[in-house]
Amino acid sequence: LSTNNYYWSIVTEDFLAGAPFNLTGPWVPQYYKSNATEPSASSWERLENKDCIQAYSNAFVPSRRNVVLVSSVKNNTNSILKYRSSDIGIAMDSNWWICSKYFQDGGHLTCVPNDYISKAKSWKVFNYPIEYCLSERTPDVCEIKFSMTIMLVVVASNALKVLMMIWVLFRFDAEQILATVGDAAASFLDTEDPTTERMCLANKREMRDFWNGRGTARPFSKARRHWGSAVSKKRWLLFFSSMLFAFGLIGFFAGWGFRHLQSRGIGLDPTSLWSLGFGELNQNALTFVENDIGTIHLALIANSPQLILSIIYMLYMGITTSMFLAADWSNFAFRPQTLLVSSHRGRQRGTWLFGAPIKWGLASLTMQTLLHWFVSQSLFMVQLQVYNKDGSPRGSDYRWEFGPILSQVSNCGYSPVAIIFTVVAACVLMLSAVFFMWRRFPVGAPPVVSTCSAAISAACHPTQRIEGMKYGELRWGAVGRVEEEIGHCSLVPAEFWDSGQAHEPVEGVMYAGFQRHEQMLRGDIRWVKSLGFHENFRLIYQ
């Protein structure tokens, strides 16, 4: 980006007709003596007072330069009533002249030009009534800043990612990797897991108790459980802790930013905040006072919120995906359906494109996109090249009586409006998770297995195995006669229900499953530390 230093002048109407003028002062701006830059040239544009104030209200002026304020005051001896230079300095107050008083709005820290827009028709600059302005238009100059260090890090990271993908591609058989709940169920229906026999009502949250009490019959309950039970308490705690941490950071830095705006004379009412723009650069909304911060440091600071957001969103997607998978699994108790697998065959269903049913997946993707955009507009990197009044780039900083004049601006800017939008969107994200957490499964739904491989295995012990059953429609229910004292529940082919071999579990009836293998597992048989996952199952018990 770029910005221009410029001269501002208050002149009489006669100045435009070539009336004489007498410039006095420590310096005489050369552009007044050059015919090429007279206000009669084609590059000058007439602006009414309101438009003029708005055009120069920001200290950073990329597409305009020198400005002539035409006053109704008459002067027969000097057609230039007042003039001065407006240069970008460390105080970022080069638009102070709009507020009429010398210096900085009569002693205040900064000038607030927006306060004058409502009374633009009676606008006075140094007590001279202004009729209109003539503004010199210039092309907006942009350039690309390149950091070799950042580029090398990005290239190396992506190269490592590609190498890891190639290694996984050749190291593992993609068809054998169990990536979804349906993959796990299909594997257990193919190869029975004896470690989870006689615990057919096992669920994710109580898996340890079921494992310690293998073979103990338990009554079936039709109580409606919450979707939140599909996610471990630790994951919920981590998600809400991350959200509170993020809100704490936003509150701390946003509070500082709003106080900084107040110290610069900016009100915190909606109109004043909106006047700063959405994600727009403004001299009153810069993060650092110093101007010597390196490019890499600025890039890290500006993008650090994106890292926090990515971590939170990974947790969020993991949680919502687990709940939707559990909701899909619960449907096996009420209607025939096929497994949801990563590589579908036969009548099997493929996995969800966005990690959730299409409607919510699209909504989630939209929310993620908006959040990342809001965050990018809330805190952003600023790199400005300052140009002289004649259009040449300023080569170096220098000091004068009112402080240092900058040749470049390197800083981080922030947008209060974008921060507010980010907070609102983050609240929507968290509330959506809470909404799904408190939803309930239907009455009579099977135990909530979610992504726990042990619980999935416990539900995959049909009394009769049919070749290729994993490719067809399945249902979950009680297998055997209703009058049996201790029953068994399992995922079975839908045909079992049609033939009466399977039925809906009865509330209060004891279920434990049956023992297919001749020898019961002994307590000294080792199970995987994470509660004995199927040896081919790649999902993590959480």
Side-chain angles (χ1 to χ4, degrees):
L1 299 178
S2 64
T3 186
N4 295 306
N5 293 332
Y6 58 92
Y7 294 119
W8 59 267
S9 308
I10 306 174
V11 303
T12 66
E13 286 276 6
D14 298 337
F15 174 79
L16 304 179
F21 55 86
N22 180 26
L23 296 178
T24 58
W27 41 261
V28 178
Q30 296 299 314
Y31 91 99
Y32 289 114
K33 298 183 178 181
S34 172
N35 293 331
T37 56
E38 288 183 356
S40 58
S42 59
S43 60
W44 293 76
E45 177 186 11
R46 173 171 172 149
L47 298 175
E48 299 306 320
N49 286 358
K50 180 179 179 180
D51 298 328
C52 185
I53 295 172
Q54 289 177 330
Y56 289 89
S57 61
N58 198 329
F60 305 118
V61 186
S63 57
R64 297 183 183 274
R65 200 159 42 230
N66 306 306
V67 59
V68 173
L69 313 176
V70 181
S71 174
S72 58
V73 172
K74 303 296 183 180
N75 191 314
N76 296 326
T77 59
N78 192 357
S79 59
I80 297 181
L81 305 174
K82 198 170 187 66
Y83 69 91
R84 200 165 182 88
S85 175
S86 186
D87 300 295
I88 295 293
I90 198 72
M92 300 296 169
D93 56 359
S94 56
N95 58 350
W96 60 270
W97 54 271
I98 296 177
C99 299
S100 307
K101 298 177 182 178
Y102 186 87
F103 207 2
Q104 292 183 339
D105 199 14
H108 296 294
L109 179 61
T110 188
C111 169
V112 185
N114 290 329
D115 294 344
Y116 293 81
I117 292 178
S118 60
K119 48 186 178 181
K121 292 184 178 180
S122 58
W123 180 36
K124 292 183 178 181
V125 178
F126 289 96
N127 212 33
Y128 292 108
I130 305 301
E131 297 295 319
Y132 62 92
C133 300
L134 292 172
S135 173
E136 183 183 8
R137 293 193 62 85
T138 61
D140 193 352
V141 180
C142 295
E143 59 184 24
I144 297 176
K145 294 284 187 178
F146 183 84
S147 171
M148 180 60 72
T149 302
I150 295 177
M151 181 59 68
L152 289 175
V153 171
V154 171
V155 171
S157 299
N158 281 281
L160 179 61
K161 186 190 301 184
V162 171
L163 290 175
M164 293 298 295
M165 292 170 64
I166 294 174
W167 178 77
V168 171
L169 182 63
F170 287 98
R171 173 64 177 80
F172 300 101
D173 183 358
E175 296 296 327
Q176 299 301 320
I177 294 177
L178 307 183
T180 69
V181 172
D183 291 340
S187 174
F188 292 130
L189 290 174
D190 253 355
T191 306
E192 190 170 18
D193 180 8
T195 62
T196 56
E197 287 182 346
R198 305 186 69 188
M199 45 195 297
C200 63
L201 296 183
N203 62 74
K204 177 186 179 75
R205 284 280 183 91
E206 300 174 323
M207 192 63 235
R208 192 177 299 275
D209 294 337
F210 274 91
W211 175 249
N212 292 332
R214 290 188 303 277
T216 302
R218 302 180 186 233
F220 176 74
S221 173
K222 290 189 176 183
R224 301 183 64 190
R225 289 171 288 273
H226 294 287
W227 280 27
S229 61
V231 181
S232 66
K233 294 179 181 179
K234 290 182 179 179
R235 289 179 71 185
W236 279 119
L237 179 62
L238 181 59
F239 172 71
F240 286 120
S241 299
S242 300
M243 291 295 300
L244 292 176
F245 174 74
F247 282 131
L249 285 180
I250 294 174
F252 176 79
F253 289 108
W256 173 88
F258 289 141
R259 287 195 301 271
H260 175 69
L261 291 176
Q262 284 184 309
S263 69
R264 301 280 294 182
I266 306 297
L268 300 184
D269 57 284
T271 303
S272 298
L273 293 178
W274 189 258
S275 67
L276 297 175
F278 183 90
E280 295 181 7
L281 176 61
N282 189 283
Q283 85 253 25
N284 297 313
L286 294 177
T287 306
F288 302 105
V289 176
E290 298 83 3
N291 194 56
D292 56 352
I293 303 174
T295 301
I296 295 179
H297 291 88
L298 289 176
L300 291 175
I301 293 170
N303 289 285
S304 56
Q306 297 285 356
L307 176 62
I308 297 174
L309 175 60
S310 296
I311 294 173
I312 290 176
Y313 211 84
M314 286 179 64
L315 291 172
Y316 175 81
M317 286 304 298
I319 286 172
T320 53
T321 299
S322 295
M323 290 190 289
F324 278 114
L325 287 173
D328 182 77
W329 180 271
S330 69
N331 291 331
F332 281 110
F334 308 105
R335 64 172 183 266
Q337 65 178 20
T338 55
L339 294 173
L340 197 68
V341 296
S342 56
S343 298
H344 58 93
R345 295 179 181 177
R347 300 173 63 185
Q348 291 177 330
R349 293 174 294 155
T351 54
W352 294 314
L353 179 60
F354 302 111
I358 187 65
K359 291 183 179 179
W360 176 247
L362 287 174
S364 178
L365 180 63
T366 302
M367 183 161 50
Q368 179 187 15
T369 303
L370 287 175
L371 258 173
H372 278 286
W373 181 56
F374 290 155
V375 170
S376 70
Q377 301 302 297
S378 299
L379 182 65
F380 47 88
M381 186 175 173
V382 176
Q383 293 268 284
L384 282 173
Q385 171 64 53
V386 180
Y387 285 81
N388 292 317
K389 304 168 187 70
D390 60 359
S392 61
R394 176 166 291 282
S396 60
D397 299 352
Y398 74 92
R399 298 189 64 86
W400 74 316
E401 56 180 317
F402 296 108
I405 301 300
L406 304 177
S407 60
Q408 290 186 338
V409 177
S410 296
N411 213 313
C412 280
Y414 64 93
S415 172
V417 176
I419 292 174
I420 294 173
F421 273 73
T422 299
V423 171
V424 172
C427 288
V428 171
L429 180 77
M430 185 172 69
L431 290 176
S432 67
V434 173
F435 169 77
F436 287 122
M437 179 179 70
W438 288 105
R439 287 191 67 177
R440 292 180 182 271
F441 296 104
V443 175
V448 181
V449 300
S450 187
T451 55
C452 174
S453 64
I456 297 170
S457 171
C460 295
H461 290 284
T463 54
Q464 180 182 354
R465 293 184 178 271
I466 301 175
E467 185 178 356
M469 60 185 294
K470 65 180 181 180
Y471 300 118
E473 290 186 333
L474 303 169
R475 283 194 67 175
W476 180 89
V479 184
R481 297 187 300 274
V482 178
E483 62 271 13
E484 289 180 349
E485 183 178 350
I486 297 179
H488 171 58
C489 295
S490 177
L491 202 64
V492 297
E495 293 80 9
F496 280 32
W497 285 71
D498 299 333
S499 62
Q501 299 179 62
H503 55 85
E504 181 181 338
V506 180
E507 185 168 19
V509 172
M510 307 296 285
Y511 295 92
F514 69 98
Q515 180 182 350
R516 186 188 304 276
H517 298 79
E518 295 182 359
Q519 184 178 0
M520 276 292 295
L521 295 173
R522 297 180 180 177
D524 59 348
I525 294 181
R526 294 189 60 187
W527 208 26
V528 180
K529 273 189 175 180
S530 55
L531 296 184
F533 296 171
H534 190 278
E535 62 180 358
N536 292 325
F537 192 39
R538 303 295 186 230
L539 293 181
I540 300 175
Y541 173 77
Q542 296 181 358

